[in-house]
Amino acid sequence: MNTFKAYLKKEIIESWRHYKYLILLIGIVLFAILDPIILKLLPEMLKNEINGDLASLIQIDMKSAVQNYIKDLNQISLLIVLLTLMGTLSEEVSSQKLVFPYSKGANLSAIVISKILHYSVTLSIFIITGFAINYYYATTLFHNNVIAFNKILISSILMSTYYIFTITLLIFLSSILKKGIIAALSVLILHIVSAILVNIDKIAKFIPYNLISLANSFSTENNLTTIISAILYCIILFIFTMKIMKQN
């Protein structure tokens, strides 16, 4: 417990000192504000470029504004998060910074858990906040096809769960590859592959990327299998991370 508290405090201090909180906040919440505003202004921006009735060509409503935010979370925000956190474990592994604490009795499991928990909670707070802000702007600017807030909240939880899985995967790959940028690129590749595999109906519900699909559809049904699968994958990745680190 002492190791966990010490490293959790260390992660908080370093994240504050290196402006990681600010970068993550901007990377996640900024699009929550910008997406509805840009979509609202889009017809006006394009009216001189496109002939015809823009209202019939471009269907923009509250639902599409939120879906656009989910798309950004799935792409740009995810990239920002990976680039910001790619050195979370890899730097300490490659520089052997954990050797001395471990030799003095520090619990490696507590160290890894502190990192995963810290950024999981941080990202979840930012994502849920982002959805709430996006919902406010989307409902203020658009009055058609309005999605109930409880469905928006469920979508935010699904996206948060996917990000938690992504962080756990990043830390696992960092323990193997020992290079943050390579680990981040590997996560991106797996992210893209998952986006393809999720189109296979028989295995879709067992693929974490399906959380994004469910969030985008604002589905309140058939979520449990994918959520449980993602949690199990996180546990398995954590176990393998510990085995690899102890071997090193």
Side-chain angles (χ1 to χ4, degrees):
M1 182 60 71
N2 290 334
T3 302
F4 173 78
K5 289 181 179 179
Y7 271 84
L8 181 60
K9 182 178 180 180
K10 172 179 174 291
E11 290 298 324
I12 293 172
I13 293 173
E14 288 188 353
S15 296
W16 182 264
R17 185 178 297 163
H18 296 139
Y19 303 103
K20 288 184 180 180
Y21 290 139
L22 180 61
I23 296 170
L24 294 174
L25 180 65
I26 293 174
I28 291 173
V29 175
L30 180 63
F31 296 106
I33 301 171
L34 289 181
D35 283 344
I37 295 175
I38 291 174
L39 287 177
K40 185 67 175 180
L41 296 175
L42 188 60
E44 188 68 23
M45 294 163 60
L46 295 178
K47 70 178 183 180
N48 294 326
E49 303 294 332
I50 301 176
N51 295 322
D53 184 11
L54 287 177
S56 62
L57 295 175
I58 305 175
Q59 297 294 329
I60 302 175
D61 51 31
M62 183 269 178
K63 181 179 179 180
S64 62
V66 179
Q67 287 177 327
N68 206 62
Y69 176 54
I70 293 173
K71 183 186 71 174
D72 285 334
L73 284 177
N74 179 31
Q75 298 173 0
I76 304 173
S77 296
L78 183 65
L79 179 60
I80 293 172
V81 168
L82 290 176
L83 292 177
T84 303
L85 303 183
M86 64 183 183
T88 300
L89 182 65
S90 59
E91 290 180 0
E92 294 182 349
V93 172
S94 60
S95 60
Q96 301 290 310
K97 288 182 179 179
L98 297 177
V99 174
F100 180 74
Y102 183 58
S103 66
K104 295 298 181 180
N107 190 322
L108 282 179
S109 298
I111 294 173
V112 175
I113 290 174
S114 69
K115 293 177 181 294
I116 294 174
L117 182 62
H118 170 242
Y119 287 113
S120 294
V121 172
T122 299
L123 290 173
S124 295
I125 291 173
F126 289 166
I127 290 170
I128 293 172
T129 301
F131 268 92
I133 293 172
N134 181 258
Y135 176 82
Y136 169 76
Y137 278 93
T139 52
T140 300
L141 297 174
F142 304 100
H143 305 290
N144 296 327
N145 205 6
V146 176
I147 305 297
F149 183 73
N150 67 309
K151 291 186 177 182
I152 299 295
L153 183 59
I154 291 172
S155 291
S156 70
I157 293 172
L158 292 171
M159 289 300 300
S160 297
T161 305
Y162 183 76
Y163 267 76
I164 292 170
F165 165 76
T166 301
I167 293 303
T168 309
L169 178 61
L170 177 65
I171 288 178
F172 166 70
L173 291 174
S174 295
S175 69
I176 298 175
L177 302 172
K178 299 180 177 61
K179 295 289 185 180
I181 186 63
I182 299 177
L185 289 174
S186 299
V187 173
L188 280 178
I189 292 171
L190 291 173
H191 175 73
I192 295 170
V193 172
S194 297
I196 298 171
L197 293 177
V198 81
N199 293 309
I200 304 174
D201 292 336
K202 290 184 178 180
I203 63 173
K205 62 183 179 180
F206 301 108
I207 298 176
Y209 189 93
N210 192 47
L211 292 165
I212 298 175
S213 301
L214 292 169
N216 196 55
S217 65
F218 307 104
S219 174
T220 57
E221 299 178 357
N222 303 319
N223 296 337
L224 194 58
T225 300
T226 306
I227 293 174
I228 292 175
S229 297
I231 293 172
L232 287 175
Y233 296 148
C234 288
I235 294 172
I236 293 170
L237 289 170
F238 169 74
I239 292 172
F240 277 103
T241 300
M242 295 315 307
K243 287 186 176 181
I244 292 168
M245 290 184 65
K246 287 178 180 178
Q247 288 175 357
N248 294 335

mmCIF file of all heavy atoms in Angstrom, residues 211-240:
data_model
loop_
_atom_site.group_PDB
_atom_site.id
_atom_site.type_symbol
_atom_site.label_atom_id
_atom_site.label_comp_id
_atom_site.label_asym_id
_atom_site.label_seq_id
_atom_site.Cartn_x
_atom_site.Cartn_y
_atom_site.Cartn_z
ATOM 1 N N LEU A 211 -16.793 -1.141 -28.194
ATOM 2 C CA LEU A 211 -17.251 -0.126 -27.240
ATOM 3 C C LEU A 211 -17.489 1.208 -27.943
ATOM 4 O O LEU A 211 -18.440 1.929 -27.628
ATOM 5 C CB LEU A 211 -16.218 0.047 -26.120
ATOM 6 C CG LEU A 211 -16.041 -1.141 -25.164
ATOM 7 C CD1 LEU A 211 -14.760 -0.970 -24.350
ATOM 8 C CD2 LEU A 211 -17.248 -1.278 -24.249
ATOM 9 N N ILE A 212 -16.620 1.518 -28.900
ATOM 10 C CA ILE A 212 -16.768 2.762 -29.662
ATOM 11 C C ILE A 212 -18.005 2.688 -30.549
ATOM 12 O O ILE A 212 -18.770 3.652 -30.652
ATOM 13 C CB ILE A 212 -15.509 3.032 -30.502
ATOM 14 C CG1 ILE A 212 -14.292 3.203 -29.598
ATOM 15 C CG2 ILE A 212 -15.697 4.267 -31.380
ATOM 16 C CD1 ILE A 212 -12.980 3.363 -30.337
ATOM 17 N N SER A 213 -18.192 1.542 -31.180
ATOM 18 C CA SER A 213 -19.370 1.357 -32.036
ATOM 19 C C SER A 213 -20.654 1.488 -31.229
ATOM 20 O O SER A 213 -21.622 2.120 -31.671
ATOM 21 C CB SER A 213 -19.313 -0.018 -32.709
ATOM 22 O OG SER A 213 -18.142 -0.160 -33.483
ATOM 23 N N LEU A 214 -20.660 0.906 -30.041
ATOM 24 C CA LEU A 214 -21.837 0.988 -29.171
ATOM 25 C C LEU A 214 -22.067 2.420 -28.702
ATOM 26 O O LEU A 214 -23.205 2.889 -28.636
ATOM 27 C CB LEU A 214 -21.662 0.057 -27.968
ATOM 28 C CG LEU A 214 -21.666 -1.447 -28.268
ATOM 29 C CD1 LEU A 214 -21.223 -2.232 -27.040
ATOM 30 C CD2 LEU A 214 -23.047 -1.904 -28.721
ATOM 31 N N ALA A 215 -20.977 3.101 -28.376
ATOM 32 C CA ALA A 215 -21.096 4.500 -27.949
ATOM 33 C C ALA A 215 -21.654 5.362 -29.072
ATOM 34 O O ALA A 215 -22.489 6.243 -28.844
ATOM 35 C CB ALA A 215 -19.732 5.028 -27.507
ATOM 36 N N ASN A 216 -21.211 5.096 -30.276
ATOM 37 C CA ASN A 216 -21.637 5.881 -31.435
ATOM 38 C C ASN A 216 -23.097 5.636 -31.805
ATOM 39 O O ASN A 216 -23.750 6.493 -32.404
ATOM 40 C CB ASN A 216 -20.748 5.557 -32.635
ATOM 41 C CG ASN A 216 -20.869 6.573 -33.745
ATOM 42 O OD1 ASN A 216 -20.689 7.766 -33.537
ATOM 43 N ND2 ASN A 216 -21.192 6.105 -34.937
ATOM 44 N N SER A 217 -23.601 4.462 -31.437
ATOM 45 C CA SER A 217 -25.001 4.135 -31.729
ATOM 46 C C SER A 217 -25.923 4.488 -30.567
ATOM 47 O O SER A 217 -27.139 4.313 -30.671
ATOM 48 C CB SER A 217 -25.134 2.645 -32.057
ATOM 49 O OG SER A 217 -24.815 1.854 -30.925
ATOM 50 N N PHE A 218 -25.322 4.953 -29.453
ATOM 51 C CA PHE A 218 -26.070 5.310 -28.241
ATOM 52 C C PHE A 218 -26.922 4.134 -27.767
ATOM 53 O O PHE A 218 -28.051 4.305 -27.314
ATOM 54 C CB PHE A 218 -26.950 6.541 -28.484
ATOM 55 C CG PHE A 218 -26.186 7.707 -29.036
ATOM 56 C CD1 PHE A 218 -26.279 8.043 -30.377
ATOM 57 C CD2 PHE A 218 -25.341 8.445 -28.227
ATOM 58 C CE1 PHE A 218 -25.557 9.104 -30.898
ATOM 59 C CE2 PHE A 218 -24.608 9.509 -28.738
ATOM 60 C CZ PHE A 218 -24.723 9.839 -30.077
ATOM 61 N N SER A 219 -26.337 2.956 -27.899
ATOM 62 C CA SER A 219 -27.044 1.739 -27.526
ATOM 63 C C SER A 219 -27.005 1.527 -26.017
ATOM 64 O O SER A 219 -25.974 1.721 -25.372
ATOM 65 C CB SER A 219 -26.418 0.533 -28.233
ATOM 66 O OG SER A 219 -26.998 -0.673 -27.790
ATOM 67 N N THR A 220 -28.134 1.134 -25.470
ATOM 68 C CA THR A 220 -28.208 0.807 -24.042
ATOM 69 C C THR A 220 -28.388 -0.694 -23.839
ATOM 70 O O THR A 220 -28.603 -1.144 -22.720
ATOM 71 C CB THR A 220 -29.377 1.560 -23.380
ATOM 72 O OG1 THR A 220 -30.595 1.223 -24.058
ATOM 73 C CG2 THR A 220 -29.162 3.066 -23.441
ATOM 74 N N GLU A 221 -28.290 -1.445 -24.924
ATOM 75 C CA GLU A 221 -28.472 -2.889 -24.856
ATOM 76 C C GLU A 221 -27.234 -3.600 -25.408
ATOM 77 O O GLU A 221 -26.486 -3.055 -26.206
ATOM 78 C CB GLU A 221 -29.707 -3.312 -25.665
ATOM 79 C CG GLU A 221 -31.011 -2.692 -25.154
ATOM 80 C CD GLU A 221 -32.195 -3.085 -26.009
ATOM 81 O OE1 GLU A 221 -31.978 -3.782 -27.026
ATOM 82 O OE2 GLU A 221 -33.324 -2.692 -25.673
ATOM 83 N N ASN A 222 -27.050 -4.830 -24.946
ATOM 84 C CA ASN A 222 -25.966 -5.693 -25.435
ATOM 85 C C ASN A 222 -24.583 -5.069 -25.232
ATOM 86 O O ASN A 222 -23.671 -5.282 -26.035
ATOM 87 C CB ASN A 222 -26.175 -6.024 -26.923
ATOM 88 C CG ASN A 222 -27.515 -6.690 -27.184
ATOM 89 O OD1 ASN A 222 -27.947 -7.550 -26.421
ATOM 90 N ND2 ASN A 222 -28.179 -6.283 -28.255
ATOM 91 N N ASN A 223 -24.459 -4.292 -24.159
ATOM 92 C CA ASN A 223 -23.168 -3.665 -23.856
ATOM 93 C C ASN A 223 -22.310 -4.518 -22.935
ATOM 94 O O ASN A 223 -21.080 -4.414 -22.947
ATOM 95 C CB ASN A 223 -23.375 -2.301 -23.184
ATOM 96 C CG ASN A 223 -24.057 -1.303 -24.091
ATOM 97 O OD1 ASN A 223 -24.005 -1.436 -25.304
ATOM 98 N ND2 ASN A 223 -24.681 -0.299 -23.512
ATOM 99 N N LEU A 224 -22.967 -5.346 -22.144
ATOM 100 C CA LEU A 224 -22.297 -6.020 -21.032
ATOM 101 C C LEU A 224 -21.174 -6.947 -21.484
ATOM 102 O O LEU A 224 -20.097 -6.961 -20.877
ATOM 103 C CB LEU A 224 -23.329 -6.799 -20.204
ATOM 104 C CG LEU A 224 -22.860 -7.274 -18.825
ATOM 105 C CD1 LEU A 224 -22.400 -6.094 -17.977
ATOM 106 C CD2 LEU A 224 -23.977 -8.035 -18.118
ATOM 107 N N THR A 225 -21.413 -7.704 -22.546
ATOM 108 C CA THR A 225 -20.400 -8.665 -23.008
ATOM 109 C C THR A 225 -19.107 -7.961 -23.399
ATOM 110 O O THR A 225 -18.008 -8.391 -23.030
ATOM 111 C CB THR A 225 -20.925 -9.472 -24.214
ATOM 112 O OG1 THR A 225 -22.103 -10.180 -23.826
ATOM 113 C CG2 THR A 225 -19.876 -10.466 -24.693
ATOM 114 N N THR A 226 -19.232 -6.868 -24.130
ATOM 115 C CA THR A 226 -18.042 -6.135 -24.570
ATOM 116 C C THR A 226 -17.335 -5.480 -23.389
ATOM 117 O O THR A 226 -16.096 -5.475 -23.325
ATOM 118 C CB THR A 226 -18.424 -5.065 -25.607
ATOM 119 O OG1 THR A 226 -19.161 -5.668 -26.672
ATOM 120 C CG2 THR A 226 -17.180 -4.417 -26.190
ATOM 121 N N ILE A 227 -18.100 -4.940 -22.459
ATOM 122 C CA ILE A 227 -17.497 -4.311 -21.274
ATOM 123 C C ILE A 227 -16.735 -5.342 -20.449
ATOM 124 O O ILE A 227 -15.587 -5.108 -20.040
ATOM 125 C CB ILE A 227 -18.577 -3.627 -20.411
ATOM 126 C CG1 ILE A 227 -19.170 -2.426 -21.154
ATOM 127 C CG2 ILE A 227 -17.992 -3.180 -19.073
ATOM 128 C CD1 ILE A 227 -20.345 -1.782 -20.449
ATOM 129 N N ILE A 228 -17.365 -6.487 -20.209
ATOM 130 C CA ILE A 228 -16.710 -7.553 -19.435
ATOM 131 C C ILE A 228 -15.466 -8.051 -20.158
ATOM 132 O O ILE A 228 -14.419 -8.287 -19.535
ATOM 133 C CB ILE A 228 -17.693 -8.716 -19.179
ATOM 134 C CG1 ILE A 228 -18.811 -8.263 -18.233
ATOM 135 C CG2 ILE A 228 -16.966 -9.919 -18.587
ATOM 136 C CD1 ILE A 228 -19.901 -9.295 -18.022
ATOM 137 N N SER A 229 -15.567 -8.196 -21.476
ATOM 138 C CA SER A 229 -14.410 -8.644 -22.266
ATOM 139 C C SER A 229 -13.253 -7.664 -22.125
ATOM 140 O O SER A 229 -12.099 -8.070 -21.927
ATOM 141 C CB SER A 229 -14.801 -8.791 -23.737
ATOM 142 O OG SER A 229 -15.784 -9.784 -23.910
ATOM 143 N N ALA A 230 -13.551 -6.372 -22.216
ATOM 144 C CA ALA A 230 -12.506 -5.350 -22.100
ATOM 145 C C ALA A 230 -11.856 -5.391 -20.721
ATOM 146 O O ALA A 230 -10.627 -5.270 -20.592
ATOM 147 C CB ALA A 230 -13.098 -3.968 -22.368
ATOM 148 N N ILE A 231 -12.663 -5.579 -19.684
ATOM 149 C CA ILE A 231 -12.129 -5.658 -18.319
ATOM 150 C C ILE A 231 -11.237 -6.888 -18.165
ATOM 151 O O ILE A 231 -10.150 -6.811 -17.566
ATOM 152 C CB ILE A 231 -13.278 -5.689 -17.292
ATOM 153 C CG1 ILE A 231 -14.026 -4.350 -17.293
ATOM 154 C CG2 ILE A 231 -12.744 -5.988 -15.889
ATOM 155 C CD1 ILE A 231 -15.287 -4.343 -16.455
ATOM 156 N N LEU A 232 -11.676 -8.007 -18.716
ATOM 157 C CA LEU A 232 -10.872 -9.236 -18.651
ATOM 158 C C LEU A 232 -9.552 -9.061 -19.390
ATOM 159 O O LEU A 232 -8.499 -9.513 -18.914
ATOM 160 C CB LEU A 232 -11.657 -10.413 -19.235
ATOM 161 C CG LEU A 232 -12.812 -10.951 -18.384
ATOM 162 C CD1 LEU A 232 -13.571 -12.033 -19.147
ATOM 163 C CD2 LEU A 232 -12.303 -11.498 -17.053
ATOM 164 N N TYR A 233 -9.593 -8.409 -20.538
ATOM 165 C CA TYR A 233 -8.360 -8.148 -21.290
ATOM 166 C C TYR A 233 -7.408 -7.281 -20.464
ATOM 167 O O TYR A 233 -6.192 -7.507 -20.475
ATOM 168 C CB TYR A 233 -8.675 -7.454 -22.617
ATOM 169 C CG TYR A 233 -9.493 -8.280 -23.582
ATOM 170 C CD1 TYR A 233 -10.387 -7.683 -24.466
ATOM 171 C CD2 TYR A 233 -9.377 -9.669 -23.606
ATOM 172 C CE1 TYR A 233 -11.143 -8.439 -25.348
ATOM 173 C CE2 TYR A 233 -10.137 -10.431 -24.485
ATOM 174 C CZ TYR A 233 -11.021 -9.807 -25.348
ATOM 175 O OH TYR A 233 -11.772 -10.561 -26.218
ATOM 176 N N CYS A 234 -7.964 -6.311 -19.762
ATOM 177 C CA CYS A 234 -7.135 -5.436 -18.922
ATOM 178 C C CYS A 234 -6.447 -6.240 -17.819
ATOM 179 O O CYS A 234 -5.254 -6.036 -17.535
ATOM 180 C CB CYS A 234 -7.989 -4.327 -18.300
ATOM 181 S SG CYS A 234 -8.520 -3.048 -19.463
ATOM 182 N N ILE A 235 -7.192 -7.142 -17.216
ATOM 183 C CA ILE A 235 -6.623 -7.983 -16.152
ATOM 184 C C ILE A 235 -5.519 -8.874 -16.710
ATOM 185 O O ILE A 235 -4.438 -9.007 -16.116
ATOM 186 C CB ILE A 235 -7.726 -8.838 -15.489
ATOM 187 C CG1 ILE A 235 -8.722 -7.932 -14.755
ATOM 188 C CG2 ILE A 235 -7.115 -9.851 -14.516
ATOM 189 C CD1 ILE A 235 -9.949 -8.657 -14.235
ATOM 190 N N ILE A 236 -5.784 -9.474 -17.861
ATOM 191 C CA ILE A 236 -4.788 -10.352 -18.498
ATOM 192 C C ILE A 236 -3.537 -9.563 -18.878
ATOM 193 O O ILE A 236 -2.403 -10.013 -18.645
ATOM 194 C CB ILE A 236 -5.395 -11.037 -19.744
ATOM 195 C CG1 ILE A 236 -6.495 -12.011 -19.321
ATOM 196 C CG2 ILE A 236 -4.313 -11.765 -20.544
ATOM 197 C CD1 ILE A 236 -7.317 -12.556 -20.472
ATOM 198 N N LEU A 237 -3.730 -8.388 -19.452
ATOM 199 C CA LEU A 237 -2.591 -7.544 -19.838
ATOM 200 C C LEU A 237 -1.774 -7.136 -18.616
ATOM 201 O O LEU A 237 -0.538 -7.096 -18.667
ATOM 202 C CB LEU A 237 -3.086 -6.305 -20.583
ATOM 203 C CG LEU A 237 -3.626 -6.536 -21.999
ATOM 204 C CD1 LEU A 237 -4.296 -5.271 -22.527
ATOM 205 C CD2 LEU A 237 -2.517 -6.983 -22.936
ATOM 206 N N PHE A 238 -2.468 -6.842 -17.530
ATOM 207 C CA PHE A 238 -1.766 -6.473 -16.291
ATOM 208 C C PHE A 238 -0.924 -7.645 -15.779
ATOM 209 O O PHE A 238 0.238 -7.461 -15.388
ATOM 210 C CB PHE A 238 -2.777 -6.047 -15.225
ATOM 211 C CG PHE A 238 -2.181 -5.901 -13.857
ATOM 212 C CD1 PHE A 238 -1.379 -4.812 -13.549
ATOM 213 C CD2 PHE A 238 -2.406 -6.868 -12.878
ATOM 214 C CE1 PHE A 238 -0.812 -4.681 -12.284
ATOM 215 C CE2 PHE A 238 -1.847 -6.741 -11.617
ATOM 216 C CZ PHE A 238 -1.050 -5.649 -11.320
ATOM 217 N N ILE A 239 -1.492 -8.835 -15.796
ATOM 218 C CA ILE A 239 -0.769 -10.025 -15.322
ATOM 219 C C ILE A 239 0.483 -10.264 -16.160
ATOM 220 O O ILE A 239 1.578 -10.511 -15.621
ATOM 221 C CB ILE A 239 -1.690 -11.265 -15.355
ATOM 222 C CG1 ILE A 239 -2.802 -11.122 -14.312
ATOM 223 C CG2 ILE A 239 -0.883 -12.543 -15.099
ATOM 224 C CD1 ILE A 239 -3.869 -12.198 -14.396
ATOM 225 N N PHE A 240 0.340 -10.159 -17.470
ATOM 226 C CA PHE A 240 1.491 -10.367 -18.353
ATOM 227 C C PHE A 240 2.524 -9.249 -18.193
ATOM 228 O O PHE A 240 3.731 -9.494 -18.299
ATOM 229 C CB PHE A 240 1.039 -10.468 -19.806
ATOM 230 C CG PHE A 240 0.569 -11.841 -20.196
ATOM 231 C CD1 PHE A 240 -0.780 -12.122 -20.312
ATOM 232 C CD2 PHE A 240 1.479 -12.860 -20.434
ATOM 233 C CE1 PHE A 240 -1.218 -13.387 -20.658
ATOM 234 C CE2 PHE A 240 1.059 -14.130 -20.783
ATOM 235 C CZ PHE A 240 -0.302 -14.403 -20.894
#
